[in-house]
Structures are given as structure tokens and as C-alpha cells.
Amino acid sequence: MEKAEGGNQMPVTEFILLGFGSQPGLQILLFLLFLVFYVVTMAGNLLSHAALVVADPHLHTPMYFFLGNLSCLETCYTSTILPRLLASLLTGDRTISVEGCITQLAVFGFLATTECYLLAVMSHDRYLAICKPLHYGTLMNGRLCLQLEAGSWINGFLSCTILACLMLESIFCGPNEMDHFFCDLTSMLKLSCSDTSQITPVIYTFSFLNLVLPFVLTLTSYVCVISTILRIPSTTGRQKAFSTCSSHLIVVTIFYGTIMIVYMVPKSSTLRALNKVFSVCYTVLTPLANPLIYSLRNREVKEALRNAIGGSVTLTKNSD
């Protein structure tokens, strides 16, 4: 009833993202911190992964094909939120138009949904490599890799396009303050004066298809992988098998763990205060950590990076 009564008010045209407060000293500190995060994330994902996977023939395998796509995705993922946040911290302007907020929500949702499916695809790749090694080359061929990758991107795009169209029909008539640093779906729904009864079932359906289902598929793959690894008789064999999937398992744990804390844990006053901190984990720190985790724990990536640096140094000396 409250939302229906709000329909007689004047619709708002912009939101105010409260972010992390308004203390000047804190804003400068956060700006510098997030700027470092953004630069390192862009460099790590674009240079050490996407570029290496394309340039090094030894990394032209399904695993690194998916990893290169993940790096490109997370570059876009971070760029959807951090530039807008950095501008807000620098200028103090925390306003964003309703259309701009829905656009950010749609793009962020598209990339997050795609990442959920991509992580599931990567876990399936590790399942085939460890549980069915003799048939891996036949099962995970180039055509299947492209189909799985395209399916992940297309599904994310279609789902979030439908959701964005529904949100564009919503009316927002105040208050217009959003206690977040980006346009979060649940925060926007709380500010809507429209009847959200039609949107809610769509959200639950998409949450199941795009979050719960990929998570279950990922979890099932790793249950099979860990079960197979534990049956390997030699300690060396178990360590070698686990090393091929440990990086991805760490990334999956961080990504889904923080999302579950943000969206599934009841919002008590204490957890509500920590909500933005956990949101930073999966929107900013996960894309930052991924290239570091894969580089530090993956022998092939470290070798490719050393070769690339060595080649650049040799080329520089020859030119001199």
C-alpha cells in the first residue's frame, strides 16, 4: 500500500549514492586506495592473462582460453563500478540519473551472471581433465569451448536485458538516497514506488537460473574432482592433480562466499553496516585477486610471464 500511495508523488530523476560517507579525509584515502586497486586489476587482467594467453602458444588450451575470457570479463566488470566510484570520491558528486543507475545495474548484472556461468564452465573443464583424462582432448574440443563461452555471455545478456526492461517501467518517487556505492538491485527495489509484485518472481527465477544453478554445477564438479584426487595412490600424483584446479577453487570460494554473505544472510544492524565491505570483496577485490592467484599458483602462467619479460629485455638490448 505504501508503494501505491507513493505513485501520486513527483517521480525522482536521479539517485544519491551515499557510498562510504562524506568525511573529506576518508574520501581522499578511499580514492587513492580504489585507484590503486583499479590500476592493478586492469594491468593484471589485461597484461598478465589476456595478453599472455593470446601471445603464448603454450597457453592455447581450453583452460587458458576460459581464463583469458574471465580476465577480459573482469576488466569490464571492474570498469562498470570503479570509474564512477572514483569520480564520486574525487569530486564529491554522488548523484546518478535513474537511467544511468539502471544501465549500471544491467551491465553489472550481465557481467556477474556471465561470470557465474563461466566459473561453472571452468569447473567442468577441470572435471573432464582430472576425472576423464583419456577422453579430455576429444570431449573438450575447440567447438565445445566456443559454444560454452558463447552460451555464458548470451545467457547473461538476455537475462539482464529482460530485467533492465522491467526496471525501466518502475517509478521512483522518493526518497532517492541509496546506501551503497553502486546501483544494487535490492537497494533500487526498496526505493521503487511501483508495484514490484511482477518483478519479484522474475528476480527469483533469474537468481535460481543464473546464480544457484551455476553454483550447484560448480559444486558438483568439484565434489567429483576432489573425490577422484583422493583416490590417487601417490602423494605426488594427488598434489599435481590438485594444483591444476586449486587456483580456480580459491576464486570460486571467494566469489560465491562474499555474494552469499551479502545477499543471503539476514540484514541485522551489524551486518548491514558490513554489507558494503563484503560488496567490495566480490566487485573489486575478486577481480584484483584473480590474476594474482592464477599467476602465483600456476607454473605455466609464471613461465609465460618470464618468457615475455625476457623477450622484452632482449629486444630492448638489441635495439640499443
mmCIF file of all heavy atoms in Angstrom, residues 62-63 121-137 139-140 221 225 228-229 232 240-241 244-245:
data_model
loop_
_atom_site.group_PDB
_atom_site.id
_atom_site.type_symbol
_atom_site.label_atom_id
_atom_site.label_comp_id
_atom_site.label_asym_id
_atom_site.label_seq_id
_atom_site.Cartn_x
_atom_site.Cartn_y
_atom_site.Cartn_z
ATOM 1 N N PRO A 62 42.096 -25.233 -23.687
ATOM 2 C CA PRO A 62 40.778 -24.832 -23.168
ATOM 3 C C PRO A 62 40.845 -24.095 -21.834
ATOM 4 O O PRO A 62 40.164 -23.086 -21.638
ATOM 5 C CB PRO A 62 40.045 -26.172 -23.034
ATOM 6 C CG PRO A 62 40.646 -27.036 -24.078
ATOM 7 C CD PRO A 62 42.105 -26.649 -24.119
ATOM 8 N N MET A 63 41.681 -24.573 -20.914
ATOM 9 C CA MET A 63 41.766 -23.954 -19.601
ATOM 10 C C MET A 63 42.155 -22.480 -19.701
ATOM 11 O O MET A 63 41.548 -21.606 -19.052
ATOM 12 C CB MET A 63 42.788 -24.703 -18.751
ATOM 13 C CG MET A 63 43.058 -24.075 -17.392
ATOM 14 S SD MET A 63 44.316 -24.998 -16.478
ATOM 15 C CE MET A 63 44.591 -23.906 -15.081
ATOM 16 N N VAL A 121 31.643 -23.360 -16.153
ATOM 17 C CA VAL A 121 32.280 -23.961 -17.331
ATOM 18 C C VAL A 121 33.715 -24.353 -17.018
ATOM 19 O O VAL A 121 34.189 -25.445 -17.382
ATOM 20 C CB VAL A 121 32.232 -22.980 -18.517
ATOM 21 C CG1 VAL A 121 33.150 -23.433 -19.649
ATOM 22 C CG2 VAL A 121 30.800 -22.844 -19.039
ATOM 23 N N MET A 122 34.441 -23.482 -16.315
ATOM 24 C CA MET A 122 35.831 -23.768 -15.959
ATOM 25 C C MET A 122 35.929 -24.945 -14.993
ATOM 26 O O MET A 122 36.859 -25.751 -15.071
ATOM 27 C CB MET A 122 36.478 -22.519 -15.356
ATOM 28 C CG MET A 122 36.614 -21.370 -16.346
ATOM 29 S SD MET A 122 37.238 -19.845 -15.592
ATOM 30 C CE MET A 122 38.949 -20.284 -15.305
ATOM 31 N N SER A 123 34.961 -25.066 -14.085
ATOM 32 C CA SER A 123 34.969 -26.211 -13.175
ATOM 33 C C SER A 123 34.671 -27.502 -13.933
ATOM 34 O O SER A 123 35.238 -28.554 -13.628
ATOM 35 C CB SER A 123 33.945 -26.002 -12.059
ATOM 36 O OG SER A 123 32.619 -26.028 -12.566
ATOM 37 N N HIS A 124 33.801 -27.431 -14.946
ATOM 38 C CA HIS A 124 33.518 -28.608 -15.774
ATOM 39 C C HIS A 124 34.759 -29.012 -16.576
ATOM 40 O O HIS A 124 35.053 -30.205 -16.740
ATOM 41 C CB HIS A 124 32.357 -28.317 -16.718
ATOM 42 C CG HIS A 124 31.984 -29.467 -17.600
ATOM 43 N ND1 HIS A 124 31.448 -30.644 -17.115
ATOM 44 C CD2 HIS A 124 32.087 -29.631 -18.955
ATOM 45 C CE1 HIS A 124 31.225 -31.482 -18.123
ATOM 46 N NE2 HIS A 124 31.613 -30.899 -19.238
ATOM 47 N N ASP A 125 35.499 -28.018 -17.029
ATOM 48 C CA ASP A 125 36.753 -28.291 -17.741
ATOM 49 C C ASP A 125 37.730 -29.028 -16.839
ATOM 50 O O ASP A 125 38.379 -29.998 -17.259
ATOM 51 C CB ASP A 125 37.357 -26.969 -18.221
ATOM 52 C CG ASP A 125 38.751 -27.150 -18.807
ATOM 53 O OD1 ASP A 125 38.860 -27.708 -19.906
ATOM 54 O OD2 ASP A 125 39.726 -26.735 -18.141
ATOM 55 N N ARG A 126 37.844 -28.595 -15.571
ATOM 56 C CA ARG A 126 38.743 -29.279 -14.631
ATOM 57 C C ARG A 126 38.224 -30.687 -14.301
ATOM 58 O O ARG A 126 39.013 -31.610 -14.083
ATOM 59 C CB ARG A 126 38.874 -28.454 -13.349
ATOM 60 C CG ARG A 126 39.620 -27.133 -13.499
ATOM 61 C CD ARG A 126 41.036 -27.335 -14.002
ATOM 62 N NE ARG A 126 41.107 -27.450 -15.456
ATOM 63 C CZ ARG A 126 42.089 -28.027 -16.124
ATOM 64 N NH1 ARG A 126 43.098 -28.581 -15.479
ATOM 65 N NH2 ARG A 126 42.089 -28.072 -17.445
ATOM 66 N N TYR A 127 36.902 -30.837 -14.259
ATOM 67 C CA TYR A 127 36.319 -32.164 -14.018
ATOM 68 C C TYR A 127 36.716 -33.137 -15.129
ATOM 69 O O TYR A 127 37.141 -34.267 -14.857
ATOM 70 C CB TYR A 127 34.800 -32.044 -13.931
ATOM 71 C CG TYR A 127 34.074 -33.356 -14.125
ATOM 72 C CD1 TYR A 127 34.049 -34.322 -13.120
ATOM 73 C CD2 TYR A 127 33.429 -33.632 -15.329
ATOM 74 C CE1 TYR A 127 33.391 -35.534 -13.309
ATOM 75 C CE2 TYR A 127 32.776 -34.843 -15.527
ATOM 76 C CZ TYR A 127 32.757 -35.787 -14.517
ATOM 77 O OH TYR A 127 32.126 -36.986 -14.717
ATOM 78 N N LEU A 128 36.599 -32.695 -16.386
ATOM 79 C CA LEU A 128 36.955 -33.569 -17.503
ATOM 80 C C LEU A 128 38.453 -33.862 -17.514
ATOM 81 O O LEU A 128 38.872 -34.987 -17.803
ATOM 82 C CB LEU A 128 36.540 -32.924 -18.825
ATOM 83 C CG LEU A 128 35.037 -32.776 -19.085
ATOM 84 C CD1 LEU A 128 34.792 -32.076 -20.412
ATOM 85 C CD2 LEU A 128 34.351 -34.140 -19.072
ATOM 86 N N ALA A 129 39.272 -32.844 -17.199
ATOM 87 C CA ALA A 129 40.719 -33.019 -17.232
ATOM 88 C C ALA A 129 41.204 -34.004 -16.169
ATOM 89 O O ALA A 129 42.146 -34.770 -16.409
ATOM 90 C CB ALA A 129 41.405 -31.667 -17.050
ATOM 91 N N ILE A 130 40.576 -34.009 -15.001
ATOM 92 C CA ILE A 130 41.042 -34.851 -13.894
ATOM 93 C C ILE A 130 40.293 -36.178 -13.819
ATOM 94 O O ILE A 130 40.895 -37.227 -13.576
ATOM 95 C CB ILE A 130 40.902 -34.083 -12.559
ATOM 96 C CG1 ILE A 130 41.874 -32.893 -12.552
ATOM 97 C CG2 ILE A 130 41.178 -34.983 -11.362
ATOM 98 C CD1 ILE A 130 41.732 -31.979 -11.367
ATOM 99 N N CYS A 131 38.992 -36.151 -14.056
ATOM 100 C CA CYS A 131 38.182 -37.366 -13.907
ATOM 101 C C CYS A 131 38.123 -38.200 -15.190
ATOM 102 O O CYS A 131 37.905 -39.410 -15.126
ATOM 103 C CB CYS A 131 36.763 -37.005 -13.471
ATOM 104 S SG CYS A 131 36.687 -36.131 -11.888
ATOM 105 N N LYS A 132 38.305 -37.557 -16.341
ATOM 106 C CA LYS A 132 38.271 -38.281 -17.616
ATOM 107 C C LYS A 132 39.457 -37.853 -18.494
ATOM 108 O O LYS A 132 39.267 -37.344 -19.607
ATOM 109 C CB LYS A 132 36.955 -38.011 -18.348
ATOM 110 C CG LYS A 132 35.722 -38.445 -17.561
ATOM 111 C CD LYS A 132 34.443 -38.185 -18.337
ATOM 112 C CE LYS A 132 33.211 -38.570 -17.526
ATOM 113 N NZ LYS A 132 33.140 -40.002 -17.225
ATOM 114 N N PRO A 133 40.677 -38.029 -18.005
ATOM 115 C CA PRO A 133 41.855 -37.513 -18.721
ATOM 116 C C PRO A 133 42.067 -38.132 -20.098
ATOM 117 O O PRO A 133 42.551 -37.457 -21.002
ATOM 118 C CB PRO A 133 43.013 -37.844 -17.765
ATOM 119 C CG PRO A 133 42.514 -38.984 -16.935
ATOM 120 C CD PRO A 133 41.056 -38.740 -16.763
ATOM 121 N N LEU A 134 41.725 -39.398 -20.273
ATOM 122 C CA LEU A 134 41.945 -40.057 -21.564
ATOM 123 C C LEU A 134 41.005 -39.539 -22.648
ATOM 124 O O LEU A 134 41.319 -39.613 -23.840
ATOM 125 C CB LEU A 134 41.774 -41.575 -21.410
ATOM 126 C CG LEU A 134 42.751 -42.270 -20.449
ATOM 127 C CD1 LEU A 134 42.453 -43.755 -20.376
ATOM 128 C CD2 LEU A 134 44.195 -42.027 -20.882
ATOM 129 N N HIS A 135 39.860 -39.004 -22.242
ATOM 130 C CA HIS A 135 38.878 -38.512 -23.211
ATOM 131 C C HIS A 135 38.819 -36.983 -23.241
ATOM 132 O O HIS A 135 37.988 -36.418 -23.956
ATOM 133 C CB HIS A 135 37.486 -39.058 -22.868
ATOM 134 C CG HIS A 135 37.429 -40.550 -22.803
ATOM 135 N ND1 HIS A 135 37.420 -41.352 -23.924
ATOM 136 C CD2 HIS A 135 37.381 -41.394 -21.734
ATOM 137 C CE1 HIS A 135 37.363 -42.622 -23.561
ATOM 138 N NE2 HIS A 135 37.353 -42.681 -22.244
ATOM 139 N N TYR A 136 39.709 -36.333 -22.468
ATOM 140 C CA TYR A 136 39.625 -34.871 -22.335
ATOM 141 C C TYR A 136 39.776 -34.161 -23.679
ATOM 142 O O TYR A 136 38.995 -33.266 -24.013
ATOM 143 C CB TYR A 136 40.698 -34.380 -21.366
ATOM 144 C CG TYR A 136 40.755 -32.876 -21.227
ATOM 145 C CD1 TYR A 136 39.773 -32.190 -20.537
ATOM 146 C CD2 TYR A 136 41.794 -32.142 -21.801
ATOM 147 C CE1 TYR A 136 39.810 -30.815 -20.411
ATOM 148 C CE2 TYR A 136 41.849 -30.776 -21.674
ATOM 149 C CZ TYR A 136 40.852 -30.110 -20.980
ATOM 150 O OH TYR A 136 40.903 -28.751 -20.865
ATOM 151 N N GLY A 137 40.786 -34.548 -24.457
ATOM 152 C CA GLY A 137 41.041 -33.896 -25.739
ATOM 153 C C GLY A 137 39.872 -34.009 -26.694
ATOM 154 O O GLY A 137 39.586 -33.082 -27.472
ATOM 155 N N LEU A 139 36.549 -34.662 -25.716
ATOM 156 C CA LEU A 139 35.347 -34.042 -25.157
ATOM 157 C C LEU A 139 35.439 -32.514 -25.157
ATOM 158 O O LEU A 139 34.490 -31.831 -25.551
ATOM 159 C CB LEU A 139 35.130 -34.553 -23.723
ATOM 160 C CG LEU A 139 34.811 -36.041 -23.587
ATOM 161 C CD1 LEU A 139 34.780 -36.442 -22.111
ATOM 162 C CD2 LEU A 139 33.464 -36.370 -24.237
ATOM 163 N N MET A 140 36.545 -31.969 -24.691
ATOM 164 C CA MET A 140 36.710 -30.519 -24.604
ATOM 165 C C MET A 140 37.447 -30.009 -25.848
ATOM 166 O O MET A 140 38.587 -29.551 -25.795
ATOM 167 C CB MET A 140 37.460 -30.141 -23.326
ATOM 168 C CG MET A 140 37.449 -28.639 -23.025
ATOM 169 S SD MET A 140 35.817 -27.915 -22.877
ATOM 170 C CE MET A 140 35.259 -28.574 -21.301
ATOM 171 N N SER A 221 30.862 -30.464 -9.760
ATOM 172 C CA SER A 221 32.104 -30.764 -10.474
ATOM 173 C C SER A 221 33.255 -30.939 -9.508
ATOM 174 O O SER A 221 34.059 -31.882 -9.627
ATOM 175 C CB SER A 221 32.421 -29.645 -11.469
ATOM 176 O OG SER A 221 31.452 -29.575 -12.495
ATOM 177 N N VAL A 225 35.768 -33.955 -8.603
ATOM 178 C CA VAL A 225 37.206 -33.745 -8.761
ATOM 179 C C VAL A 225 37.949 -34.138 -7.487
ATOM 180 O O VAL A 225 38.947 -34.881 -7.535
ATOM 181 C CB VAL A 225 37.494 -32.268 -9.113
ATOM 182 C CG1 VAL A 225 38.980 -31.950 -8.935
ATOM 183 C CG2 VAL A 225 37.078 -31.975 -10.546
ATOM 184 N N THR A 228 37.977 -37.855 -6.920
ATOM 185 C CA THR A 228 38.936 -38.532 -7.803
ATOM 186 C C THR A 228 40.367 -38.328 -7.323
ATOM 187 O O THR A 228 41.178 -39.262 -7.321
ATOM 188 C CB THR A 228 38.789 -38.006 -9.249
ATOM 189 O OG1 THR A 228 37.460 -38.253 -9.704
ATOM 190 C CG2 THR A 228 39.785 -38.682 -10.171
ATOM 191 N N ILE A 229 40.690 -37.099 -6.897
ATOM 192 C CA ILE A 229 42.045 -36.803 -6.428
ATOM 193 C C ILE A 229 42.389 -37.637 -5.190
ATOM 194 O O ILE A 229 43.508 -38.151 -5.057
ATOM 195 C CB ILE A 229 42.191 -35.295 -6.121
ATOM 196 C CG1 ILE A 229 42.138 -34.483 -7.415
ATOM 197 C CG2 ILE A 229 43.497 -35.012 -5.377
ATOM 198 C CD1 ILE A 229 42.161 -32.986 -7.204
ATOM 199 N N ILE A 232 43.737 -41.110 -5.850
ATOM 200 C CA ILE A 232 45.053 -41.276 -6.472
ATOM 201 C C ILE A 232 46.019 -41.838 -5.430
ATOM 202 O O ILE A 232 46.162 -41.267 -4.335
ATOM 203 C CB ILE A 232 45.574 -39.939 -7.028
ATOM 204 C CG1 ILE A 232 44.637 -39.430 -8.134
ATOM 205 C CG2 ILE A 232 46.992 -40.090 -7.566
ATOM 206 C CD1 ILE A 232 45.010 -38.059 -8.670
ATOM 207 N N LYS A 240 49.893 -32.955 -7.741
ATOM 208 C CA LYS A 240 49.914 -32.469 -9.114
ATOM 209 C C LYS A 240 48.498 -32.256 -9.636
ATOM 210 O O LYS A 240 48.211 -31.245 -10.296
ATOM 211 C CB LYS A 240 50.659 -33.462 -10.009
ATOM 212 C CG LYS A 240 50.803 -32.996 -11.440
ATOM 213 C CD LYS A 240 51.618 -33.990 -12.253
ATOM 214 C CE LYS A 240 51.759 -33.504 -13.706
ATOM 215 N NZ LYS A 240 52.544 -34.470 -14.519
ATOM 216 N N ALA A 241 47.597 -33.208 -9.333
ATOM 217 C CA ALA A 241 46.214 -33.080 -9.788
ATOM 218 C C ALA A 241 45.522 -31.904 -9.114
ATOM 219 O O ALA A 241 44.803 -31.129 -9.767
ATOM 220 C CB ALA A 241 45.454 -34.374 -9.515
ATOM 221 N N THR A 244 46.260 -28.299 -10.439
ATOM 222 C CA THR A 244 45.636 -27.847 -11.688
ATOM 223 C C THR A 244 44.287 -27.185 -11.467
ATOM 224 O O THR A 244 43.781 -26.510 -12.362
ATOM 225 C CB THR A 244 45.450 -29.029 -12.658
ATOM 226 O OG1 THR A 244 44.516 -29.963 -12.102
ATOM 227 C CG2 THR A 244 46.764 -29.730 -12.929
ATOM 228 N N CYS A 245 43.689 -27.381 -10.278
ATOM 229 C CA CYS A 245 42.369 -26.795 -10.039
ATOM 230 C C CYS A 245 42.311 -25.942 -8.778
ATOM 231 O O CYS A 245 41.275 -25.329 -8.497
ATOM 232 C CB CYS A 245 41.304 -27.894 -9.952
ATOM 233 S SG CYS A 245 41.535 -29.048 -8.591
#
